Amino acid sequence: SYTSLYQSSLQDSSYSVVGSAIEGLLAVETDQSQLLQPYFSATQIEIILPLADAAVLNADTTKYEWLQQKYEQLSGREQWYIKQYLNEMLLYLSPKKQKEAIPELKTLAKEHPESYMRLAGMQGLLFLLDTHPDLEQDITEIMQVETDETLQQVYQEFK
């Protein structure tokens, strides 16, 4: 078993090594929640991503607020990575919680200055379309007002 190697790698000075160790420990069958608990306060994306991945793979909705907090603390592409996990986590939340996320997703899809973040907002809305069919008109309107040519092409694929 590589468990002892993973555990010792948690002390490495490289965030990438620590992130890989977390990923390895999460792949082990035993419960690692106590050992990994201190890492949920990390601000380094290399550590956050494997924890977020495990939360989504395990449909651990208790980590949704944690993911939302990390999203708000980060910026740029790192924020985009977390939004992908938040969007996936939406699928496991109650319809009430999903509905609470919709205004932020609409604003993101319409108004964010970066096209990749507008796309992330749109992806979140599309994830919710099955459980919230009333979103269809909003999604259509957002697609129609998009000015970025690349996003316009991507949105053609969604229709």
Side-chain angles (χ1 to χ4, degrees):
S1 169
Y2 292 100
T3 304
S4 61
L5 174 64
Y6 295 143
Q7 289 174 341
S8 65
S9 295
L10 289 174
Q11 307 309 314
D12 199 277
S13 62
S14 166
Y15 298 130
S16 295
V17 171
V18 173
S20 294
I22 290 170
E23 193 173 343
L25 284 168
L26 290 168
V28 176
E29 296 295 322
T30 59
D31 180 21
Q32 300 292 336
S33 57
Q34 285 297 106
L35 182 64
L36 297 179
Q37 192 59 42
Y39 297 94
F40 283 94
S41 62
T43 57
Q44 298 81 15
I45 196 73
E46 299 90 345
I47 295 173
I48 297 168
L49 290 179
L51 294 170
D53 193 50
V56 170
L57 287 174
N58 295 314
D60 185 356
T61 57
T62 66
K63 297 292 188 266
Y64 182 77
E65 299 301 326
W66 169 78
L67 274 172
Q68 187 66 38
Q69 179 187 31
K70 294 302 176 187
Y71 173 78
E72 292 167 7
Q73 291 171 350
L74 298 169
S75 62
R77 298 220 184 255
E78 291 179 347
Q79 196 175 43
W80 177 84
Y81 285 120
I82 300 304
K83 182 50 89 178
Q84 302 308 304
Y85 288 108
L86 282 167
N87 284 345
E88 287 185 57
M89 186 70 78
L90 286 172
L91 299 173
Y92 305 114
L93 296 178
S94 69
K96 181 180 183 247
K97 277 288 211 188
Q98 290 175 343
K99 196 169 188 95
E100 290 172 7
I102 290 172
E104 186 264 337
L105 290 169
K106 284 183 189 178
T107 301
L108 186 64
K110 284 191 255 185
E111 299 176 12
H112 199 282
E114 297 292 344
S115 61
Y116 62 89
M117 290 301 290
R118 291 196 305 277
L119 177 59
M122 177 60 75
Q123 288 169 324
L125 293 171
L126 290 167
F127 280 166
L128 296 177
L129 190 55
D130 284 343
T131 52
H132 300 275
D134 55 315
L135 282 174
E136 190 164 351
Q137 182 177 349
D138 292 316
I139 290 170
T140 300
E141 288 173 8
I142 293 168
M143 287 180 178
Q144 288 172 344
V145 298
E146 179 57 58
T147 58
D148 184 90
E149 289 182 20
T150 303
L151 278 187
Q152 288 173 344
Q153 291 174 354
V154 170
Y155 291 167
Q156 287 302 313
E157 299 293 320
F158 294 153
K159 292 183 179 178

